[in-house]
Amino acid sequence: MRRGGGVLMHISSLPGPFGTGVIGQEAIDFAKQLASQGMKYWQVLPFSYPGMGNSPYQSFSAFAGNWLFIDPRRLEKRGLLTSAEVQQAEYTQNKWRIDYDFLRTNRDELLRKAFDRADKDLLAKADKFIEKNKWVQDVAAYQTVKDADFGKPWWEWSDTSLKNYDKDAVDGLKNNPNYRYHGFVQYLFFDEWSTIKKEINDLGISIIGDIPFYVSGDSADVWASRDFFKMASATKVNKIRKEYEKAMDKYKKAIEKGEVDEKGEPFKEPRKPKPEALVFDSVAGVPPDYFCEDGQLWGNPIYDWKKMKEDGYSWWMSRLEDNFKLFDYLRIDHFRAFSSYCEIDANAENARDGKWIPGPGHDFFAAYDKKFNDRSRLIAEDLGEVTPDLADFMSKVGIPGMRVMQFTFYPGDDSSFLPHNYNKNCVAYTGTHDNNTILGWLWDSREDVRKTCLEYCGFTGDNWGDGGSHSGSCRSIIKTLWMSHADVTIIPIQDMLGYGADTRMNIPGTPTGNWVVRFTKEDLDSIDNKWYQDLNRIYFR
């Protein structure tokens, strides 16, 4: 990657009148602002439709675009909406937060009106797009059934043929108007983004995209391609059910007899098997560590890498190919799972018994090279514990890893996350979407860590807690990052603005309140573009 600086801000955080940022004029204006600062990169989060907890990392499809980002004003220009309807799409209650409940209802109604008004030429283009892309067919079919079956997960659908992805049953959905509507919406998203992206690229700004490593269990991906995932066998499902029935029988008898456990307390009712345990054999997560004694149980189904290898990793190659159309560079989240991944029984209560399993490793990248013959557009999210096998794997794969300033500054620790230790082939951050803001981190850090950081970054004075786009402490940290050897340096927009912890994007492990932060035009106008222009000039970014 070219030496350069950039900013991390998801499309959803852009200013605008529609309750979320959209792929429209505000996106182009932000790219112009980046260009005026001498920036080269704009990093975004996954373009997936948000799922559980409104997270773009938990979507119903690894391929589909987030139609909440379609700009109603551009649909009006295409003759698909009226000015009054565009006005109805505006959200005025809170311009700093996203209201997903409003958006999901409002945008669906709006897009259905646009679909009803599409002329033959536009529908023909959309139909061609659907026919060309199998993933669009699967998404359209999946959503059509979801709409009719009250949003139930695919393994609970009432129609057994559809639940089991019977080809004739799925093909039969193509005559359903809802099927064509959902495909049409995906066409609109990708058509609109391709136009906007070209304008952004013409300004000299490259887009760094992001894809989650795993997919959601209740997704079009697993429903249509379950052979590539570790599904629960009939034998295992029967075993789980029988064990539960046996435990319930024992529990009921104990209650009838008034028996108590060894502590003299009534027996607790056995835990029901997790619904997912009757579908998936194992799920993803992270074993216990210093930070979490139970580990992290993410619940995403595990890939069957053996079957994927037999197929030349076609599902992954298609996924990467489509994302390369969306973005100039691609950050792969949880990249370490290519080397080794944690596998947890799908019926487990926590991740304590999680086990590390070797991933597809270099064999995957041999298939990648055969398909693309170019690794220069990849970035590896390789954060977390660096084991010898991971370090060796990253060295041989050769693509840039990540460094994060907030992971260091413990007194006496010459960490690899300190800027003077960065190698050229990395992408370095003050923090990511999962971190606190710089200012919030300074306030929350131990005093000795904060003191070490400020001393390292050359900040003097006692006003380190001052915020805003001219914050002296934030600027000192950003400047230190820009001075590093790292080819690419990225700061979240929150750090550019000097805002506090109330504007962080995500707090991992918390189920609500995330992915809702937005910024106004006034916020972005407060940034000293000249300061960043000079920073990029001085440090040859």
PDB file of all heavy atoms in Angstrom, residues 116-128:
ATOM      1  N   ASP A 116     -42.208  -0.277  -7.232  1.00  0.00           N
ATOM      2  CA  ASP A 116     -43.473  -0.235  -7.969  1.00  0.00           C
ATOM      3  C   ASP A 116     -43.418   0.743  -9.143  1.00  0.00           C
ATOM      4  O   ASP A 116     -44.169   0.579 -10.115  1.00  0.00           O
ATOM      5  CB  ASP A 116     -44.615   0.170  -7.027  1.00  0.00           C
ATOM      6  CG  ASP A 116     -44.954  -0.936  -6.032  1.00  0.00           C
ATOM      7  OD1 ASP A 116     -44.605  -2.108  -6.304  1.00  0.00           O
ATOM      8  OD2 ASP A 116     -45.551  -0.633  -4.979  1.00  0.00           O
ATOM      9  N   ARG A 117     -42.532   1.748  -9.063  1.00  0.00           N
ATOM     10  CA  ARG A 117     -42.464   2.772 -10.101  1.00  0.00           C
ATOM     11  C   ARG A 117     -41.350   2.517 -11.114  1.00  0.00           C
ATOM     12  O   ARG A 117     -41.177   3.286 -12.057  1.00  0.00           O
ATOM     13  CB  ARG A 117     -42.249   4.143  -9.458  1.00  0.00           C
ATOM     14  CG  ARG A 117     -43.460   4.598  -8.652  1.00  0.00           C
ATOM     15  CD  ARG A 117     -43.223   5.943  -8.021  1.00  0.00           C
ATOM     16  NE  ARG A 117     -44.334   6.267  -7.141  1.00  0.00           N
ATOM     17  CZ  ARG A 117     -44.215   6.862  -5.973  1.00  0.00           C
ATOM     18  NH1 ARG A 117     -43.025   7.229  -5.551  1.00  0.00           N
ATOM     19  NH2 ARG A 117     -45.275   7.123  -5.234  1.00  0.00           N
ATOM     20  N   ALA A 118     -40.564   1.486 -10.884  1.00  0.00           N
ATOM     21  CA  ALA A 118     -39.455   1.205 -11.805  1.00  0.00           C
ATOM     22  C   ALA A 118     -39.981   0.862 -13.189  1.00  0.00           C
ATOM     23  O   ALA A 118     -40.936   0.096 -13.340  1.00  0.00           O
ATOM     24  CB  ALA A 118     -38.608   0.060 -11.257  1.00  0.00           C
ATOM     25  N   ASP A 119     -39.365   1.442 -14.220  1.00  0.00           N
ATOM     26  CA  ASP A 119     -39.806   1.158 -15.589  1.00  0.00           C
ATOM     27  C   ASP A 119     -39.187  -0.153 -16.090  1.00  0.00           C
ATOM     28  O   ASP A 119     -38.375  -0.785 -15.404  1.00  0.00           O
ATOM     29  CB  ASP A 119     -39.477   2.320 -16.520  1.00  0.00           C
ATOM     30  CG  ASP A 119     -37.986   2.631 -16.591  1.00  0.00           C
ATOM     31  OD1 ASP A 119     -37.167   1.721 -16.335  1.00  0.00           O
ATOM     32  OD2 ASP A 119     -37.626   3.783 -16.903  1.00  0.00           O
ATOM     33  N   LYS A 120     -39.566  -0.532 -17.299  1.00  0.00           N
ATOM     34  CA  LYS A 120     -39.117  -1.809 -17.833  1.00  0.00           C
ATOM     35  C   LYS A 120     -37.594  -1.886 -17.969  1.00  0.00           C
ATOM     36  O   LYS A 120     -36.993  -2.932 -17.705  1.00  0.00           O
ATOM     37  CB  LYS A 120     -39.776  -2.060 -19.201  1.00  0.00           C
ATOM     38  CG  LYS A 120     -41.278  -2.328 -19.118  1.00  0.00           C
ATOM     39  CD  LYS A 120     -41.846  -2.600 -20.505  1.00  0.00           C
ATOM     40  CE  LYS A 120     -43.338  -2.892 -20.431  1.00  0.00           C
ATOM     41  NZ  LYS A 120     -43.913  -3.158 -21.781  1.00  0.00           N
ATOM     42  N   ASP A 121     -36.980  -0.787 -18.390  1.00  0.00           N
ATOM     43  CA  ASP A 121     -35.529  -0.789 -18.578  1.00  0.00           C
ATOM     44  C   ASP A 121     -34.797  -1.014 -17.259  1.00  0.00           C
ATOM     45  O   ASP A 121     -33.843  -1.804 -17.192  1.00  0.00           O
ATOM     46  CB  ASP A 121     -35.075   0.540 -19.203  1.00  0.00           C
ATOM     47  CG  ASP A 121     -35.487   0.672 -20.656  1.00  0.00           C
ATOM     48  OD1 ASP A 121     -35.801  -0.374 -21.265  1.00  0.00           O
ATOM     49  OD2 ASP A 121     -35.495   1.804 -21.176  1.00  0.00           O
ATOM     50  N   LEU A 122     -35.243  -0.331 -16.210  1.00  0.00           N
ATOM     51  CA  LEU A 122     -34.596  -0.473 -14.902  1.00  0.00           C
ATOM     52  C   LEU A 122     -34.821  -1.872 -14.336  1.00  0.00           C
ATOM     53  O   LEU A 122     -33.891  -2.494 -13.794  1.00  0.00           O
ATOM     54  CB  LEU A 122     -35.125   0.584 -13.932  1.00  0.00           C
ATOM     55  CG  LEU A 122     -34.488   0.608 -12.534  1.00  0.00           C
ATOM     56  CD1 LEU A 122     -32.972   0.779 -12.633  1.00  0.00           C
ATOM     57  CD2 LEU A 122     -35.091   1.735 -11.690  1.00  0.00           C
ATOM     58  N   LEU A 123     -36.044  -2.385 -14.486  1.00  0.00           N
ATOM     59  CA  LEU A 123     -36.334  -3.737 -14.001  1.00  0.00           C
ATOM     60  C   LEU A 123     -35.524  -4.782 -14.768  1.00  0.00           C
ATOM     61  O   LEU A 123     -35.075  -5.781 -14.189  1.00  0.00           O
ATOM     62  CB  LEU A 123     -37.829  -4.034 -14.131  1.00  0.00           C
ATOM     63  CG  LEU A 123     -38.750  -3.312 -13.147  1.00  0.00           C
ATOM     64  CD1 LEU A 123     -40.208  -3.580 -13.492  1.00  0.00           C
ATOM     65  CD2 LEU A 123     -38.461  -3.736 -11.709  1.00  0.00           C
ATOM     66  N   ALA A 124     -35.331  -4.533 -16.062  1.00  0.00           N
ATOM     67  CA  ALA A 124     -34.546  -5.469 -16.875  1.00  0.00           C
ATOM     68  C   ALA A 124     -33.093  -5.507 -16.391  1.00  0.00           C
ATOM     69  O   ALA A 124     -32.471  -6.572 -16.320  1.00  0.00           O
ATOM     70  CB  ALA A 124     -34.603  -5.071 -18.342  1.00  0.00           C
ATOM     71  N   LYS A 125     -32.549  -4.337 -16.040  1.00  0.00           N
ATOM     72  CA  LYS A 125     -31.184  -4.272 -15.511  1.00  0.00           C
ATOM     73  C   LYS A 125     -31.089  -5.008 -14.172  1.00  0.00           C
ATOM     74  O   LYS A 125     -30.119  -5.725 -13.909  1.00  0.00           O
ATOM     75  CB  LYS A 125     -30.751  -2.817 -15.338  1.00  0.00           C
ATOM     76  CG  LYS A 125     -30.546  -2.072 -16.652  1.00  0.00           C
ATOM     77  CD  LYS A 125     -30.167  -0.622 -16.396  1.00  0.00           C
ATOM     78  CE  LYS A 125     -29.995   0.133 -17.722  1.00  0.00           C
ATOM     79  NZ  LYS A 125     -29.679   1.569 -17.481  1.00  0.00           N
ATOM     80  N   ALA A 126     -32.100  -4.793 -13.334  1.00  0.00           N
ATOM     81  CA  ALA A 126     -32.120  -5.464 -12.033  1.00  0.00           C
ATOM     82  C   ALA A 126     -32.244  -6.975 -12.210  1.00  0.00           C
ATOM     83  O   ALA A 126     -31.554  -7.754 -11.539  1.00  0.00           O
ATOM     84  CB  ALA A 126     -33.268  -4.932 -11.183  1.00  0.00           C
ATOM     85  N   ASP A 127     -33.107  -7.404 -13.130  1.00  0.00           N
ATOM     86  CA  ASP A 127     -33.292  -8.844 -13.383  1.00  0.00           C
ATOM     87  C   ASP A 127     -31.989  -9.480 -13.880  1.00  0.00           C
ATOM     88  O   ASP A 127     -31.654 -10.615 -13.510  1.00  0.00           O
ATOM     89  CB  ASP A 127     -34.405  -9.067 -14.407  1.00  0.00           C
ATOM     90  CG  ASP A 127     -35.789  -8.761 -13.843  1.00  0.00           C
ATOM     91  OD1 ASP A 127     -35.918  -8.711 -12.603  1.00  0.00           O
ATOM     92  OD2 ASP A 127     -36.730  -8.577 -14.641  1.00  0.00           O
ATOM     93  N   LYS A 128     -31.272  -8.757 -14.725  1.00  0.00           N
ATOM     94  CA  LYS A 128     -29.995  -9.260 -15.238  1.00  0.00           C
ATOM     95  C   LYS A 128     -28.989  -9.400 -14.092  1.00  0.00           C
ATOM     96  O   LYS A 128     -28.214 -10.369 -14.036  1.00  0.00           O
ATOM     97  CB  LYS A 128     -29.464  -8.311 -16.311  1.00  0.00           C
ATOM     98  CG  LYS A 128     -28.210  -8.813 -17.003  1.00  0.00           C
ATOM     99  CD  LYS A 128     -27.785  -7.856 -18.115  1.00  0.00           C
ATOM    100  CE  LYS A 128     -26.530  -8.366 -18.810  1.00  0.00           C
ATOM    101  NZ  LYS A 128     -26.093  -7.438 -19.906  1.00  0.00           N
TER     102      LYS A 128
END
